[in-house]
Amino acid sequence: MDTSWDPVTSPGNCNLTYRVSWNHTTNLDPNITTDNYFNITGLSYFTTYEVCVDPWVEGLTTIKKCEISTTVTSVPGGPPENINGVSSTTEALTVEWDPPATPNGVITNYSVTWSPDDPSEPIITTATTFTLTDLKPCTDYTISISAATAKGNGPPGDSSQTTLPKAPGPPTNVTVAMVSNHSDRLDVTWIQPPSRCTITNNTISWSLNSTGDLIHRVTIDANESYAISGLEPWATYLVCVSASTLGGDGPDGHCIKQTTDQDIPFGPPENISARTIMAETMQVDWDPPASPNGFITNYVVTWSSADQGEHMTVINNTTYTMTDLLPCTSYIITVSAATTKGNGPPGLTEGNSSISVPGGPPENIKMVKSTMESVTVEWDPPAIPNSVIIKYTVFITPNDALTQVSGTKYTAIGLQPNTTYNITITADNCMGNGPPGSILGETKPAATTHDGSANAWAIVGVVLCSLLMLGILLVVVVTLVKRTKGRKDDDDDRSDTLVG
């Protein structure tokens, strides 16, 4: 600072000097000069000083005169202070600062630049705060700020700040693969979405495609694949994958439908039933298993009895007719379903090879012979036997005789002459007796005389004939015995002759 003043006339021939002092040299030795001007150095820019000039003559009292003066403006002597950035969003940063400690003048503006992606020209502002926009999330930015006076910009100050993280987009190339021979599993792969923020984890969710019901959701550390397990065989699932950063969860990628591999049926066919449709023939019907676990390729039907052993057939429908069964026999029947993976467990039922008792009586019952003490009847089997007829039951009244026969003909004996009998016949199979059929049979009357007594002469004639036949038989026997004895004697004589 150049300081000057008007000279003072020294009294007499005294030695006159000037003492120059200013604020910062208070209590210091003043600068002495004999000139009427002085160049003060070492001052600060744009600083107000009180400069005093004191004419001094030794031994005399003088008057000090002071003036206020300010140094000139210069560029700021340092950067803005306390630069601090605050990330307000994923794409913006708000920066605040204080003026330089040595502004060296009036601060006219501040110049703000940042990197990376700084603008081609600095941003000029007169405020001590500024918001940077259109930034990238999860990105480190270096912010430079310099203050300016009328003389120009001072040195810049720097600060580093990172924008907030942002939720990512959806994963791409999501694939869900069936795992062969692992019917409870699906393998999931995907490509992470492009993101400046670090993918911290992935969320995999799956739901039943048929109902839309969410089955489960799992969050894992960022990975490139995941195996879903514990699924149902041969079931279609909708699988979704999303990614997350510290900024939040992103949306699901394209959800994929996929079906698990087949397995053997977990249960037997349902509603198995057996019914006899005719003698020695049964029909078995069933519904597919509740959990087929794949395409049913065939059914295996077995039937067995204590007397016939086990038989088996393989068919591809849900009904089967068993023929050539043993009559009146109980059969154990099993049915199992099969997929390409094998047979499931069998279901069990029981059936009988007969329908019921005969459906009608024996047919064409007729009497074919009659005597005084007997009648003979014949008949045909019933039209609807419902099984093999194993016997017939014949009941005769009024004497209440009950007889069981195996054929279709019967002679009742020991009856009274000239009597009408009611003959009832039922056919029996293994299930029991059928309805009865009946006929009236009449024995012949006994032979009688005119006066109603028995013909005694006929009886006597029969007795005499019998005695005559018995006498003839005795004569023949005696004759045969004599001839046999004579031959033996002749043989003995011949033997003696040969010996002699």
Side-chain angles (χ1 to χ4, degrees), residues 141-156:
Y141 285 90
T142 299
I143 306 162
S144 296
I145 305 174
S146 62
T149 65
K151 294 298 184 177
N153 285 7

Side-chain angles (χ1 to χ4, degrees), residues 432-489:
N433 297 341
S438 62
I439 190 174
L440 294 176
E442 186 177 354
T443 55
K444 290 184 177 181
T448 58
T449 61
H450 293 292
D451 58 2
S453 62
N455 192 344
W457 289 107
I459 296 173
V460 172
V462 171
V463 172
L464 291 175
C465 288
S466 297
L467 291 174
L468 178 62
M469 292 298 294
L470 181 60
I472 294 171
L473 182 60
L474 289 174
V475 171
V476 171
V477 171
V478 171
T479 302
L480 289 174
V481 170
K482 288 181 177 181
R483 287 180 178 177
T484 302
K485 187 176 183 304
R487 288 194 189 99
K488 184 177 180 182
D489 294 336

Side-chain angles (χ1 to χ4, degrees), residues 396-399 416-423 439-443:
I396 301 176
T397 58
N399 65 340
Q416 296 296 321
N418 198 31
T419 303
T420 300
Y421 290 90
N422 183 36
I423 303 170
I439 190 174
L440 294 176
E442 186 177 354
T443 55

Side-chain angles (χ1 to χ4, degrees), residues 114-152:
W114 60 91
S115 63
D117 306 327
D118 57 333
S120 58
E121 295 293 335
I123 299 299
I124 305 300
T125 179
T126 58
T128 56
T129 182
F130 183 74
T131 299
L132 286 62
T133 59
D134 297 327
L135 305 181
K136 295 180 175 63
C138 294
T139 302
D140 294 329
Y141 285 90
T142 299
I143 306 162
S144 296
I145 305 174
S146 62
T149 65
K151 294 298 184 177

Side-chain angles (χ1 to χ4, degrees), residues 251-317:
D252 287 332
H254 179 62
C255 298
I256 303 297
K257 295 178 183 178
Q258 185 56 273
T259 303
T260 50
D261 196 12
Q262 297 188 69
D263 205 335
I264 64 172
F266 282 170
E270 297 193 331
N271 303 320
I272 303 173
S273 63
R275 61 189 180 94
T276 305
I277 57 177
M278 64 178 64
E280 304 169 21
T281 300
M282 279 192 289
Q283 179 175 306
V284 186
D285 300 284
W286 60 89
D287 294 327
S291 300
N293 296 338
F295 288 119
I296 299 299
T297 56
N298 58 69
Y299 293 93
V300 178
V301 182
T302 69
W303 61 99
S304 61
S305 68
D307 297 327
Q308 200 176 26
E310 184 176 271
H311 293 75
M312 183 186 75
T313 189
V314 178
I315 59 173
N316 56 10
N317 52 34

